[in-house]
Structure formats: structure tokens, C-alpha cells
Amino acid sequence: MQRIGVFVCHCGTNIAATVDVKAVAEALSHESGVVISQEYQYMCSEAGQNLIKDSIKEYGLTGVVVCSCSPRMHENTFRKAAAAAGLNPYLVEIANIREQCSWIHKDIATATEKAIILGKAAIAKVHLNAPLTAGESPVAKRALVIGGGIAGIQTALDIAEAGFEVDIVEKEATIGGKMAQIDKTFPTLDCAACILTPKMVEASQNELITIHSYSEVSAVKGFVGNFTVTIKKKTRFVDETKCTGCGLCTEACPMKKVPNAFNLGLDNRSAIYIPFAQAVPKVATIDPNYCLKLKGGTVKEKVCGKCAAACTVGAINYHQQDEYIEQKYGAIIVATGFNPIKLDKYDEFAYNQCPDVVTSLELERLMNAAGPNGGTLLRPSDKTHPHKIVFVQCVGSRCDDSKGKPYCSKICCMYTAKHAMLIREKYPDTEVYVFYIDVRTPGKNFDEFYRRAVEQYNVHYIKGMVGKVTPKADGTIDVQASDLLSNEQLHIDADMVVLATAIEPDKTARPLATMLTTQMDTNDFFTEAHAKLRPVESATAGIFLSGACQGPKDIPETVAQASAAASKAIGLLVKNSITCNPCVAHSNELMCNGCSACEKVCPYGAITYQDKEFRMPDRTTAIRRVASVNPAVCQGCGACTVACPSGAMDLNGFSNSQIMAEVDAICK
Amino acid sequence: MQVNDNKEFQPLIVAFCCNWCSYAGADLSGTNRLNYPTNVKIIRVPCSCRVNPMFILRAFQKGADGVILCGCHPGDCHYTSGNYFTRRRMTLLFSMLDFLGIERDRTRVEWVSAAEGAKFAATMNEFTEAVKKLGPNRRLEDLRCRKQ
Amino acid sequence: MNNNLKEQVLRSSGVNVLKCMRCGKCSGTCPSYDEMEYHPHQFVYMVEKGDIETLMNSKSIYKCLTCFACVDRCPRNVEPAKVVEAVRLAAIRKQGNNHLIADSIPEMLDEDLPQQAIVTAFRKYTK
Amino acid sequence: MQEAIISKAKQLLADGTVNRVIGWKKGEFAYDITPAIFESAEEIDAEFVYDDFTSANVSKYLVKESKKEGKILAFLKPCDTYSLNQLTKEHRVNRDNIYVVGIPSDGKLDAEKIKAKGITGIIGVERNGDTLKINTIYGEETMPVSEAMSNKCLSCKSKKHVTYDELIGEDGEVIESDRFDMVEKLENMTSQERYDFWKNELSKCIRCNACRNVCPACTCENCVFDNPDSGIQNKAASDSFEENMFHIIRAFHVAGRCTDCGECSRVCPQNIPLHLLNRKFIKDINSLYGEYQAGEDTTSRAPLNDYTQDDCEASIVHERGVE
């Protein structure tokens, strides 16, 4: 005979305001098997949990139903409480009467009625719950970091610091990411390369860190503690182990008209290239789209081979192929970062028309000492010094979905203040205008920084938006904008226009999320497990989020999150084994047909078959092919249970009879 | 089926929601206080592919007027491929129910992500309205089970 | 403040003025800006406040060319030109005169009136 | 034909290729030919029958028989070979223990159709072109062959054997059939008309389980309808819903696996057109996921255990056909 305890939570007034909790407790007390039905202010509090523990002991409960918030919130809390009182934790069921009842309904009578039905369904289910024991599965003591920007580098360094092996997979030829392209950082104005490149070197020299540059993740299998990842090392036509990064090949290369991606196409590089001087690994890469020998049309081109001739160590190999490596990991950290959006939709800013209209990231390169102009700010069109520069904020951010990104890109206000300040500092004869909607500067020393731009550097901040940018025949640019405070329309003859372009997650993130079975929001940012309490974990166990792949972030925030993600990953890697989810599938061999339907739909390859001898009803024996499930590999999706025609396959915790009982209780 | 005092027909809707996306989406619509009718009762399943056609028929047998199945968007399944199987299974099952003359608006599959609280609420409002229009489920109901 | 008028303008324009984030891009983009007493962003804000009569009595409503630059460029899809049109329509309705007759147009013509405005007005008020 | 089959059976028994033969023998009447197992030439001579009433598909018997000691000889008509292939694919039979001799079939007769013409006391038939001569205890009668042909043969989909070790006669081809015509006709009815049609048909069901027991796809060790833990166990339907549920679930369980052999409707004592449920699934699968013939091979993935990323959504059911 079942002895079930029902515990109804008020959640302060969150539940009690719309659900008559006393009536719920009273109604559920009459359900079959229920021996105690109580309500309490906060079930998740220590006192509330003690109430459950004491009742388990006092009434010798065989099942517990808690009517409270979502099981996604406190199922574990109550399971632990039950376990502490000696009850198998899987004999606890939650009826969600907060998120799915009190918070969405207004009428007390109907909400109470629904809460009672949800409680009855949970009681019907708990009647059929079986005690489950979680198995254990080993943890591979190695982490994979996807993305080698500042987020990925910091995460890898922190994990290596704790003594675990880490691999970084970076799709570009060098690690460093966006930060490597930035000139100075706010609010301290120190040089980005000066603080980033030592970290890059540290990562490359750390024995525990392996960097797979020019590589991408091509397949992910497995589960927390036990991922198997296939990494595709794209061919760079250069043997990484031999190349010394001397650069002789880049000088020898006759093809010099390749848009330099590192400088965002503002100047050119050779077909064989090292992205920038401090690249890590400092290894040359041949761009097969431009290399005369690899792409070459004419016979003369096909025999080029000048880089191979120049190379003193014989590192160049035109026949190199993509290489695939497979590795086991316990944890995966996503650090895929961001990109500025494409500006094709915003014709009014004349970005595609006029070379002197640039994005902020392009401006970083134009001002950088290692950039196309060697650090002197010159107009891309005629290489003259600009005397009037207009900055436009919120380009593509804070838009209606049809017009751009609905979110605030967060970093633009600060870097624009930085740009304005740096320009005024270096070129005091330059007038700088910033058109803003709001200046958003929450952050330590941020508002002070912005005020300095206005008060000390005399940057003209104008509340209003640029409506139209028109390049003129004399080389200047007419910027038509509104000044909302003086209520007038302005026309500024500018020499340059800088667009604070919205940022978006990297395009590789979406297919990666599919491989990792993690969730993304509608903007393709990775979704964290809990917006407030678990901000660096994805909802998929063993996958952590680092940096701007989770949402727009500046460098300090990115680094903070990178270290947080690392600490979460370390928390997993230090364990020798992790507790498995016991809610896995199992096959009833007496009913199994051995038809292989379940195996076909299993995403984890958890099902195998074996021939077993069975005693038949007529006292003969027969060899039959039957399925068995590896509980350490099964993740409990239940696809097999429906594919199985005989119903031999069932799922612990969500069995056919349990779900049927819930259906019956709801429909009764 | 429930009949309330003013005799307006109140359909009983059973919603199967996958734990990872749709159940979380339902929670989010609660967190955001987005209303949908009390007619909707949610059953949590690990993945939409756990839902056996038998469960849906059983719900109809016991008096449900509409059954809706919610899962992660195709491509976003927590278990990689579960919802792709769900999609085929439910397409065929619903087509069969339609073939047998069961009103097609009584069944539905909807993909709701963990971020789509608003979509969840809107879907439930819409579905409840559609079922309300159809009236009580007579064609597939086991008369013995009907609440008097 | 006239709530009926506000309701009428909101309905006939189909615009949700609450979507406006007050960036002023509409006014930054408007070719008739200098002709206007009230500018596109003010139109949106004044409709939100319900201050419709002031707009109806302003010449500004006849200065809008309905070129739709503000509609095209508004980041929030607020569509200010539709608000201006709705106010214009409200003004004409108030005069009990929401129809233009083709024959009466030549008298109204004015050398400074842009062609586009004539066409737009005709399209709108002959319905 | 019967002679050729009998001599082949005796030959294979004699040379030790097989130790048993599954074939058919007469039942109580001339027209109820039932499957039977023969272990010797004598038994074969005495009882083996293969004639115009020999409809039964023996492949399902091979689930048990192929697990026994020694090889068994099975004579399979083209449609039966699809069933065997499907069973092989699902590991339900041990194909190595079966020696398949493919035999041609030019369509089988339905005694019920002859009886419906008022002809009783049938003791034998003879085909003469398009005319069927029926010997009865009351004398001789004639009728056109096409009017006596069983439904499943009227919409024959293939004369080709998809698996065999040996053939008697020439192999045929997959043929164009009109087997989906009735499904389409129903699809074009209104929802209410369809409901009325099926209510009328399914309410005749007496839950004798003949459809399930004859179906070569229904070979579960323990059927969900017999399993007290399945939640839907029932032996006899206690109300109209359970009849619906039984037939929906049964059709769903064989969806993508049913070879459309038509045995379910053939054996139904109430003449419920059960094959239409299976054909509806086949038609849907063909149109939504690409042409698929269960049993055509032993390696392809069943459509319900497969997917593509751009499959149609379930809402397609709402968008097409008649409301």
C-alpha cells in the first residue's frame, strides 16, 4: 500500500494569491494513498524541507508530491530533501502550480481547480514511480574550448592553471580574435595588443594547452564527461611543425593583391600570409582562393612555387589535405564570439558607396600602429587627414526585428567615446561629432570616461540621429541629422563617418549549437541554463558559455565570464565520475522482438543486440535476438519507446504507465 | 470536458511538452505572466519523441477535447534528432485521424523554444479557441469515461 | 487632450506610437524639415500625448511630402508619415470635407506645391 | 502448376536441401485452403494443394519455423516475398534456414464473391480464359473470373519476386495498380462523411483478432493489446472507442512496415476494409517522404525510423485535402 505525502507551497503570495492552497491540500488529502496533505509558506526553505523530511519519517512515506514552482527550479532541492530522510529521491514528483498555474491565471476558483488536477496527476504518477539508483560514468579529464579569442584564451589558461589539458579550436589562422584587431581598450586606454599578446604567448607555451588553429569542429558525439569530438584541421598547405614564421615566403609570393582580412580589407596582403606580426601560432597559411599555383589559370602560374623555393625549412606542401582528429573531452566551452553585422540594409549611411564611411572596427585598424596607415588616421579614399568626423551610434542595434537587431549591442557607446577621445587627443584640430540616442555607460569608471570625452576633450555629443549620409563631389560627406534638443535639422560637412555597427553572434555558432544540442535564442545567442543563477552554463550538461556568444559583452565582462566558465568546467573535470541520469530506457527481454527499430532511432548508439536463450511457454528453449540499453550512454529521450512496436522498451521515470496515469488523472 | 455555470463549453486540452524547450517555454510564459486558459493541462515528457500515439488516443478516450504536442524547434532537439521522429510520427498519426473523420483541429504539433514564452501562451490561446469552436469531442470519446 | 481624436488617428494610421524610442532619425531624414513647425518625431510624440488638435491646426501637416523616407529609415518601424497622414485626414474630416473632386483641383494649384504632394493628396482624398 | 510445385518439393526433400516444406492443404471445404507443414513425400502426395483458392501468405509461419532445426522449403507468391523480406530485415526470421521457391500467381479467387452470386456447394473451379467454371454439388455454373477475383489480387502491385532461391516459371514485373483509388475517394469526402464511413465499418468489428493474427508484420512476441502493462490492454472491445483505438494503433504499428499484402481484409469475417488504413499510411509515406515499398529490400531504413531535416510539418494535414 502506498503512503503518499502531499506538500503544497504558498511561495509567499506567488501561488497563494491566485490558488487557494488550503483547498488544494484539502482536496488532495482525499486522493487514494495520500496519508498526509499539508501546505506551507515556502516549501523550498529549510523549514519547508524539514517539514517534508519529518513527514517522510513520521508517516513512513513511500512517495512525495510537492505542489510548487516548476520542477526545473526545485525538483533537485526536494529530491535531495527526500534522500536525506531516507526516501529514494526518484519517488518525488512536482506539480507545477506556479509557472503553469498561479502565474498565468487570474480567477481563483478556476486556478484552484486546475491546481488540484495538476496535483492529482502528480499523485497518479508517483503511485507508479519506482526507486531508481543513478549509475556513474567516468569523466574524460580534458576540455575543449571552441574559439580562440580573448574569451577562449582566458578560459583555456584558467583550466590549464587547474592542471587539466585543454584544446583550443580556432577557425582563423591565429588565435586572438577580435581583441587582436582592436587598437586601445576602454576605459583605461591601454593598448589591446600589449595586454592580449602576452596571453596568446602564454597559451601557446603552456604544456597543457593545445592550439588547433585554422580548424573547426565537425562532429560532436556523447554526453557530459564523455564527449567525442571530431576536429577538422583545414589544410594550410604549410607544415605547422616545420614553419618558423620567418616570413620569407610572404615576401617571395608574387600575388600581393589579396584583401587583408585582418585589416578588414583596408589594405592588401600576399596569398601566403601570416595574419599579423604577433600571430599564434606564427605559421604561414596559403589562401587557396588566391594562390597562383593552387588556383592558377595559366601554365606559368601553375608552376609558380615561389614560396616553396623561398622556404628554407621545406615547410610548404601544396598537396596537403584536410586532417581530421578525434578526441575525447569531459567538458566543452563555447567561445565563438561575435562579428559586426553586414550593413547592406542601411543604404542611408552610404557605407557601400563611400570608402570614408567606415565601421568602428575598421576605424580601430585605421588608427592602429600595425594597421594600413601605420597608425596615422587617414581617410581611406585619398589618404588625407580628416578634420571633421561624425560618429553615428546604434547602427542596426535597438531596431524592430524587420530593420535590424532588437538588442542593444552594449559596447558601442563606450568604444565611440574612446575613439572620439583618442582622435581629439592625437589630432586636436579635428572636430568630432557623436550622434546618440542614449549614452549607456553602466560599468566601473565608464560614465566618468564618457564625461571626460565631453568635458575634457570637447567632443560634440548631439542627441539625435543621422538620417542621411551623402558623399559629395568635392570629397566631403554631407551628414543630415536631427538635433533633438535644439529642435533643428543639421547638415555637417564631414570628412569621415564612423558607424557604431551592431554586433551579432558569429555565423558558425548556429550549426555548432545543433551539434552540441544546446539552445539558442532568436538572435542566435546561446541560451544560458538560468538567466540569473547559471549564466555561464548551457542547459546541456557539460557545455559552458564564455564571452559574447552568450550576449554582447565588453572585454572585462568577457574575461570575467571566461574565468567563470572555466571554473564551472574545472568543477566538472576534477570529478572522477559523474552521476548518470537514472531515467534511462530499458528493454523487457521477454517482449523484445529484436527488430532493430529502437537502434535505428537512438541518437547515442546506446542500444545493442545479443542472442539469448529463452525458455518458451511450451518448455522448449529458443535463441532470440534481444535489445539491451547501455545506461551510461542512454540519455533518456524515449525515442526508442515509441519506435518499439511491442512496447518492450520503456523509460524509467517517464514510463508508459506513468504517463498514461497522468493522462487519466487530467482527463478524469 | 467541463461545463461551467454559464454553460459555455470549456474544452479540456492536454499539452505534452518536452522538458528542454517547450516546458521551459511554458514556464517562461508563467514568469512573464502571459495568460492562457486554465483548460490547458501540461504533461512533462523528456522529449517530444517520448509521446506515443497511444497517449494521445488515451487522452481522447478519457475525454480530452484537444491534444497538442510541443517540442524543440527542428534542429534544436536536446537529443539531436528526437523531434524529427516526432514530426513524422505525428504527421502520419494526425493524417490517419483526419482520414477517420476526426476533426483535424483537435490535434496539433507546435515547436516552442525555451525562449518563446509569448509564443507558448499565444499558441495555447489560439488552440483552445479552435477546439472551443469545434465543441466537445464526440467522435473519439469513450462515453463511459465522460464526467457527468 | 482629446482621446477620441487620438484613438481615431491611431486607428486610421495603424501606427503603434509606443514603439518609438525617440532617436529622431525621422527628423534627421526629413526633406521638408525646415518647412515644418512640428517635425516628424514631434508628430509621433504629440500623438502619443494626445495633442492632436495642435497638429491639426498646424500648417506642418501639409508640408509632409509623404515621401516615406522616415518610414523607410525608422529603426523601430514606427512609420511617422502614416501618423502625419492620419492627422491630415482628421483635419479634413473635421472640415466635413474628406473628398477631393478632380475638377476642383486646378483652382487649388499653387506653383510652389510639389507635384508629388498633389498626386499623394489626390490618391488619398478621392477615395 | 500444382504438379510442378509438388515435384519440386519432393525433389528438395529427397536431396536433403530441406527437411520440411511449408505449403497448403485442403480445409473443410474445397475453397478454404490452409497453410500446412509437410515432412515427407507421402504427406505431400496425400494433401498438398496449390490452386486458385490458395491465397494464404505463409511467410509469417516462418518466424517460428525458421528457428527450428534444419532448413524449410517455402513456396512464395510474389506478394509473399515482400513479407518475407520485411521479416528478414527486422531479424524476425532466419533467412539462412529458409529455401524459397518463388511461384507465379495470376490472382486468387474469393469464394465469398462466388457465393454472393448464389452459387453454393462449390467442389472445384476451372479457369478458362476470362470465364470461370464452377463445379458444385448441384451441377456446373459459370461466371466471369474478374468478378470472382479476390480484392487483394484485383489491386495487385507486383508480379515480381523480391527474394527467392529458385523460381518456378518466369519472374514478373512491378506493375501499376489502382490500389490507392479508394483511399483517395475517402480523402475527397468531407470529414463527416469519412467519420460515418468508418463508424459504420469499424462498429462491425468483433475483435476476433484475425487481422492481427494473420498479419505478417504483426509478429510481436507479446502484443501491446495482450500486455497488462501497456495501458491499452484489452481482449474484447467494450465500446466503440476501443475498436477505433485497436485499429488505429495496429495500423500505426505496422506503418512503414506493412507490405500491403492485403491479408487483413481477406481474413476479416466482418469484411471490414482494413487494408485501407494501411494503404492510407503507405500513400502518405509515398507522397510526403518519397516512394517506399516495405519488403522491397532488407537494408533500407523504415520511413518512421528515419527523417530528413526538411520534412514537412504535421500541419500539412490541416492544409490539404477536404475538411
Side-chain angles (χ1 to χ4, degrees):
Chain A
M1 183 60 201
Q2 293 272 11
R3 301 177 60 79
I4 293 165
V6 177
F7 303 89
V8 185
C9 182
H10 298 209
C11 195
T13 55
N14 279 307
I15 293 172
T18 26
V19 168
D20 181 346
V21 282
K22 286 200 167 53
V24 173
E26 155 67 16
L28 295 181
S29 71
H30 303 302
E31 284 296 294
S32 119
V34 174
V35 290
I36 166 135
S37 181
Q38 286 179 294
E39 23 80 32
Y40 186 71
Q41 202 104 39
Y42 288 104
M43 276 297 166
C44 60
S45 68
E46 200 174 337
Q49 292 187 46
N50 284 338
L51 186 69
I52 297 175
K53 289 183 202 168
D54 294 344
S55 304
I56 291 173
K57 289 179 192 146
E58 191 182 335
Y59 295 92
L61 298 182
T62 59
V64 166
V65 168
V66 188
C67 303
S68 61
C69 55
S70 171
R72 296 172 55 87
M73 189 71 83
H74 276 309
E75 188 172 56
N76 266 336
T77 311
F78 296 124
R79 278 183 176 169
K80 277 186 195 152
L87 185 71
N88 184 290
Y90 293 91
L91 298 174
V92 176
E93 285 296 329
I94 310 289
N96 183 346
I97 60 166
R98 192 178 78 173
E99 282 84 347
Q100 295 180 6
C101 191
S102 72
W103 275 355
I104 40 167
H105 306 313
K106 289 190 177 125
D107 177 53
I108 295 183
T110 53
T112 305
E113 195 186 338
K114 176 169 169 179
I116 292 170
I117 291 173
L118 295 178
K120 283 181 180 174
I123 293 168
K125 187 178 181 193
V126 90
H127 265 284
L128 298 164
N129 278 22
L132 300 174
T133 315
E136 295 204 323
S137 103
V139 176
K141 305 254 171 197
R142 193 182 185 100
L144 172 67
V145 176
I146 304 170
I150 180 60
I153 293 171
Q154 184 63 47
T155 302
L157 285 173
D158 287 351
I159 294 174
E161 178 78 25
F164 297 102
E165 291 178 305
V166 199
D167 294 356
I168 299 177
V169 170
E170 167 59 51
K171 67 178 187 309
E172 302 296 340
T174 173
I175 59 168
K178 291 287 172 300
M179 190 173 169
Q181 292 173 291
I182 293 173
D183 183 38
K184 299 259 174 6
T185 57
F186 61 77
T188 47
L189 291 183
D190 43 6
C191 141
C194 310
I195 53 177
L196 173 69
T197 49
K199 279 200 182 285
M200 290 163 63
V201 172
E202 205 185 325
S204 74
Q205 288 176 349
N206 192 313
E207 285 176 358
L208 293 171
I209 299 179
T210 309
I211 298 171
H212 298 295
S213 62
Y214 212 55
S215 302
E216 51 200 41
V217 171
S218 66
V220 180
K221 279 187 291 193
F223 52 94
V224 53
N226 201 3
F227 296 104
T228 306
V229 179
T230 311
I231 298 165
K232 175 182 171 187
K233 288 185 82 93
K234 295 179 282 187
T235 173
R236 60 202 318 163
F237 303 102
V238 173
D239 187 335
E240 271 182 61
T241 57
K242 289 185 187 160
C243 177
T244 60
C246 69
L248 286 175
C249 53
T250 62
E251 285 163 28
C253 179
M255 180 60 201
K256 301 266 195 250
K257 289 245 182 303
V258 184
N260 184 351
F262 184 73
N263 280 338
L264 303 162
L266 292 165
D267 64 354
N268 291 329
R269 59 156 164 79
S270 48
I272 186 165
Y273 67 102
I274 294 170
F276 61 102
Q278 298 99 327
V280 169
K282 197 167 181 194
V283 172
T285 304
I286 298 181
D287 186 338
N289 296 320
Y290 291 95
C291 172
L292 296 174
K293 186 171 174 72
L294 292 170
K295 185 171 166 269
T298 67
V299 177
K300 199 179 155 200
E301 283 171 357
K302 276 182 187 150
V303 297
C304 175
K306 287 206 168 107
C307 51
C311 182
T312 53
V313 292
I316 288 163
N317 173 5
Y318 299 112
H319 305 291
Q320 201 181 50
Q321 297 289 316
D322 291 347
E323 188 193 337
Y324 290 86
I325 49 179
E326 206 179 85
Q327 181 66 256
K328 272 203 179 296
Y329 298 101
I332 298 178
I333 300 93
V334 184
T336 45
F338 72 92
N339 272 310
I341 60 165
K342 292 249 174 307
L343 290 170
D344 300 345
K345 272 204 280 184
Y346 308 95
D347 286 342
E348 65 266 32
F349 298 121
Y351 175 75
N352 289 332
Q353 247 177 300
C354 175
D356 297 329
V357 178
V358 298
T359 67
S360 298
L361 192 59
E362 286 165 356
L363 184 71
E364 295 279 356
R365 295 316 302 153
L366 288 173
M367 300 200 336
N368 189 273
N373 302 327
T376 314
L377 179 59
L378 299 173
R379 287 168 24 120
S381 62
D382 55 7
K383 306 282 180 199
T384 58
H385 172 58
H387 292 278
K388 211 180 262 182
I389 303 181
V390 171
F391 286 86
V392 187
Q393 299 264 262
C394 300
V395 175
S397 298
R398 307 172 66 188
C399 287
D400 190 81
D401 281 328
S402 59
K403 298 283 181 83
K405 302 295 176 187
Y407 49 85
C408 166
S409 294
K410 195 170 186 178
I411 55 176
C412 328
C413 285
M414 285 302 289
Y415 69 57
T416 298
K418 172 190 79 178
H419 289 155
M421 209 185 279
L422 287 170
I423 291 170
R424 290 283 299 155
E425 165 88 25
K426 213 167 168 187
Y427 312 102
D429 61 334
T430 304
E431 275 194 85
V432 174
Y433 297 86
V434 177
F435 283 92
Y436 70 94
I437 304 172
D438 307 279
V439 179
R440 295 177 168 180
T441 54
K444 193 169 157 186
N445 292 326
F446 282 15
D447 206 61
E448 295 90 321
F449 183 81
Y450 150 61
R451 290 314 309 165
R452 232 166 58 200
V454 177
E455 294 168 25
Q456 205 173 321
Y457 289 92
N458 215 352
V459 176
H460 306 299
Y461 267 79
I462 301 171
K463 170 140 180 75
M465 189 64 182
V466 171
K468 180 98 182 107
V469 174
T470 320
K472 293 199 296 189
D474 64 359
T476 61
I477 306 164
D478 174 46
V479 178
Q480 180 187 326
S482 61
D483 179 339
L484 293 176
L485 294 181
S486 66
N487 205 9
E488 60 181 330
Q489 195 176 61
L490 306 174
H491 283 271
I492 298 175
D493 268 340
D495 298 318
M496 262 183 93
V497 174
V498 182
L499 306 175
T501 313
I503 59 174
E504 64 181 358
D506 193 85
K507 293 282 178 228
T508 56
R510 172 59 71 176
L512 184 68
T514 302
M515 277 192 265
L516 295 171
T517 71
T518 49
Q519 273 117 46
M520 286 189 142
D521 64 17
T522 46
N523 299 310
D524 278 6
F525 286 113
F526 282 88
T527 308
E528 57 280 7
H530 189 284
K532 297 169 198 86
L533 303 177
R534 296 172 67 196
V536 302
E537 295 152 85
S538 79
T540 306
I543 314 270
F544 305 96
L545 310 174
S546 172
C549 67
Q550 179 259 346
K553 277 182 195 64
D554 61 20
I555 295 169
E557 267 188 283
T558 296
V559 172
Q561 205 202 10
S563 290
S567 79
K568 282 286 166 190
I570 294 164
L572 168 63
L573 295 174
V574 289
K575 291 181 188 146
N576 290 321
S577 62
I578 42 165
T579 315
C580 299
N581 169 19
C583 296
V584 293
H586 58 91
S587 143
N588 181 339
E589 293 178 344
L590 292 174
M591 292 199 288
C592 176
N593 298 335
C595 71
S596 281
C598 50
E599 177 207 23
K600 296 274 186 329
V601 299
C602 180
Y604 303 101
I607 300 170
T608 50
Y609 294 87
Q610 54 203 120
D611 288 327
K612 271 197 175 177
E613 201 172 279
F614 287 90
R615 278 173 68 86
M616 304 306 281
D618 57 1
R619 298 187 176 208
T620 56
T621 58
I623 308 273
R624 280 179 35 225
R625 183 176 192 268
V626 290
S628 62
V629 180
N630 179 347
V633 179
C634 173
Q635 296 296 293
C637 68
C640 54
T641 60
V642 183
C644 178
S646 71
M649 201 56 96
D650 211 345
L651 189 65
N652 286 339
F654 294 94
S655 69
N656 286 331
S657 53
Q658 283 175 308
I659 298 175
M660 292 272 200
E662 282 183 275
V663 169
D664 289 358
I666 285 174
C667 298
K668 209 155 34 180
Chain B
M1 183 190 65
Q2 306 153 2
V3 178
N4 65 10
D5 294 340
N6 56 21
K7 297 293 176 202
E8 190 202 7
F9 165 61
Q10 288 298 331
L12 171 58
I13 311 279
V14 177
F16 291 97
C17 290
C18 87
N19 182 45
W20 303 96
C21 291
S22 307
Y23 195 88
D27 278 353
L28 184 63
S29 68
T31 311
N32 292 343
R33 311 296 197 275
L34 302 168
N35 294 21
Y36 56 85
T38 49
N39 309 56
V40 178
K41 313 284 192 297
I42 296 172
I43 294 179
R44 183 164 73 129
V45 286
C47 176
S48 60
C49 71
R50 176 66 189 92
V51 177
N52 197 312
M54 294 195 298
F55 304 159
I56 293 172
L57 293 176
R58 173 71 155 235
F60 282 125
Q61 177 185 18
K62 297 290 177 180
D65 300 293
V67 177
I68 181 165
L69 176 52
C70 300
C72 308
H73 285 268
D76 291 348
C77 176
H78 179 76
Y79 305 99
T80 325
S81 55
N83 51 7
Y84 288 127
F85 295 118
T86 306
R87 188 159 64 176
R88 284 203 170 185
R89 288 167 185 166
M90 293 306 140
T91 304
L92 291 182
L93 177 70
F94 294 175
S95 178
M96 176 55 75
L97 292 177
D98 178 48
F99 187 64
L100 292 171
I102 311 307
E103 303 94 332
R104 47 181 75 167
D105 285 339
R106 290 201 192 277
T107 48
R108 189 156 162 191
V109 173
E110 199 70 52
W111 311 124
V112 180
S113 83
E116 293 174 327
K119 181 179 178 187
F120 186 87
T123 302
M124 292 306 151
N125 280 314
E126 219 177 275
F127 185 63
T128 309
E129 270 319 299
V131 175
K132 211 178 253 182
K133 254 185 227 147
L134 289 176
N137 165 32
R138 302 273 183 228
R139 293 186 185 172
L140 254 181
E141 192 184 4
D142 176 352
L143 293 172
R144 291 173 313 162
C145 301
R146 190 181 300 160
K147 196 151 76 176
Q148 295 307 318
Chain C
M1 178 170 140
N2 188 327
N3 263 328
N4 284 342
L5 261 179
K6 178 181 173 184
E7 188 62 22
Q8 182 196 327
V9 167
L10 290 180
R11 277 191 184 203
S12 62
S13 64
V15 166
N16 178 2
V17 288
L18 295 175
K19 279 165 74 178
C20 174
M21 65 166 165
R22 326 227 191 280
C23 70
K25 196 173 181 182
C26 45
S27 290
T29 207
C30 181
S32 297
Y33 186 96
D34 291 335
E35 306 286 316
M36 291 175 151
E37 179 188 4
Y38 298 108
H39 306 118
H41 72 278
Q42 288 173 292
F43 264 86
V44 175
Y45 186 53
M46 287 165 79
V47 169
E48 186 190 325
K49 285 196 301 179
D51 191 4
I52 315 279
E53 269 155 345
T54 315
L55 288 174
M56 284 166 65
N57 294 328
S58 164
K59 290 259 183 279
S60 299
I61 53 176
Y62 306 109
K63 300 295 182 185
C64 168
L65 303 175
T66 325
C67 71
F68 273 49
C70 52
V71 173
D72 187 49
R73 291 177 194 155
C74 172
R76 308 283 312 160
N77 241 352
V78 176
E79 309 179 310
K82 293 195 180 171
V83 175
V84 180
E85 278 198 7
V87 176
R88 202 149 47 192
L89 195 62
I92 289 166
R93 281 195 183 157
K94 196 178 166 196
Q95 293 155 11
N97 187 9
N98 55 357
H99 267 286
L100 272 186
I101 301 161
D103 291 344
S104 62
I105 288 178
E107 304 168 26
M108 298 184 211
L109 282 186
D110 167 347
E111 265 179 27
D112 297 334
L113 200 60
Q115 283 291 320
Q116 195 180 1
I118 303 170
V119 174
T120 310
F122 193 70
R123 193 173 62 214
K124 184 137 192 99
Y125 302 121
T126 51
K127 273 175 198 161
Chain D
M1 183 50 59
Q2 178 168 323
E3 289 70 47
I5 291 172
I6 286 177
S7 78
K8 177 56 71 185
K10 287 201 280 195
Q11 176 212 326
L12 290 169
L13 268 179
D15 67 16
T17 310
V18 298
N19 65 2
R20 285 158 300 143
V21 177
I22 183 159
W24 305 266
K25 65 179 184 187
K26 272 207 170 56
E28 198 169 343
F29 301 101
Y31 45 80
D32 59 349
I33 310 292
T34 57
I37 289 171
F38 306 89
E39 293 185 353
S40 66
E42 293 70 40
E43 285 173 29
I44 290 175
D45 279 332
E47 288 195 295
F48 197 105
V49 177
Y50 182 75
D51 64 9
D52 285 321
F53 288 115
T54 314
S55 293
N57 175 356
V58 297
S59 34
K60 186 174 184 175
Y61 295 84
L62 297 169
V63 173
K64 283 225 166 73
E65 289 300 325
S66 71
K67 294 200 172 94
K68 291 181 181 164
E69 199 61 36
K71 226 171 182 173
I72 184 164
L73 166 62
F75 291 102
L76 300 183
K77 306 189 295 299
C79 50
D80 306 342
T81 60
Y82 285 82
S83 306
L84 181 67
N85 244 3
Q86 183 64 25
L87 289 166
T88 309
K89 178 166 149 183
E90 294 174 5
H91 308 275
R92 298 298 290 150
V93 295
N94 181 356
R95 181 67 178 81
D96 295 340
N97 272 350
I98 307 165
Y99 192 90
V100 176
V101 173
I103 51 175
S105 165
D106 49 1
K108 299 298 172 188
L109 303 179
D110 182 348
E112 296 301 319
K113 287 194 174 178
I114 300 173
K115 286 195 229 167
K117 292 269 177 190
I119 304 169
T120 53
I122 307 165
I123 50 176
V125 291
E126 219 173 290
R127 270 202 216 183
N128 201 342
D130 292 336
T131 317
L132 184 68
K133 202 172 86 187
I134 305 140
N135 299 315
T136 75
I137 50 176
Y138 311 109
E140 203 177 280
E141 303 265 3
T142 58
M143 67 186 288
V145 171
S146 58
E147 284 176 24
M149 189 77 86
S150 76
N151 284 333
K152 70 177 214 171
C153 296
L154 281 173
S155 57
C156 178
K157 64 183 181 297
S158 176
K159 301 273 188 203
K160 183 183 167 194
H161 295 85
V162 289
T163 180
Y164 56 84
D165 297 296
E166 197 177 323
L167 277 181
I168 293 180
E170 290 286 301
D171 202 6
E173 293 293 323
V174 175
I175 51 183
E176 282 290 311
S177 80
D178 55 359
R179 61 187 174 132
F180 297 122
D181 285 4
M182 185 59 193
V183 174
E184 206 163 303
K185 194 175 150 199
L186 277 164
E187 284 172 346
N188 289 328
M189 291 181 178
T190 65
S191 177
Q192 181 68 46
E193 285 167 345
R194 283 197 296 273
Y195 176 68
D196 292 339
F197 173 87
W198 283 111
K199 194 177 164 196
N200 179 45
E201 292 294 346
L202 293 179
S203 60
K204 295 191 289 194
C205 175
I206 54 172
R207 274 308 292 280
C208 68
N209 285 332
C211 50
R212 181 185 84 181
N213 294 352
V214 78
C215 175
C218 269
T219 65
C220 282
E221 295 293 324
N222 190 353
C223 176
V224 284
F225 290 103
D226 294 339
N227 174 6
D229 296 328
S230 73
I232 54 164
Q233 176 219 25
N234 63 355
K235 293 285 182 193
S238 47
D239 58 77
S240 62
F241 182 88
E242 288 179 8
E243 279 142 18
N244 296 342
M245 179 127 140
F246 172 76
H247 291 293
I248 298 170
I249 299 257
R250 208 188 80 73
F252 190 84
H253 276 186
V254 300
R257 303 164 57 226
C258 168
T259 64
D260 199 9
C261 73
E263 289 284 274
C264 45
S265 297
R266 182 179 71 83
V267 300
C268 180
Q270 297 292 85
N271 293 319
I272 304 171
L274 292 166
H275 65 282
L276 291 177
L277 298 176
N278 301 325
R279 279 193 189 156
K280 168 65 177 165
F281 276 133
I282 296 172
K283 184 169 179 281
D284 277 346
I285 287 169
N286 284 347
S287 65
L288 300 175
Y289 310 124
E291 290 285 323
Y292 182 84
Q293 173 59 53
E296 199 171 28
D297 60 75
T298 57
T299 50
S300 61
R301 247 177 127 97
L304 271 172
N305 296 338
D306 201 3
Y307 66 86
T308 64
Q309 291 184 351
D310 39 19
D311 280 341
C312 62
E313 296 296 336
S315 56
I316 194 165
V317 176
H318 297 246
E319 288 149 13
R320 56 172 199 184
V322 180
E323 183 69 48

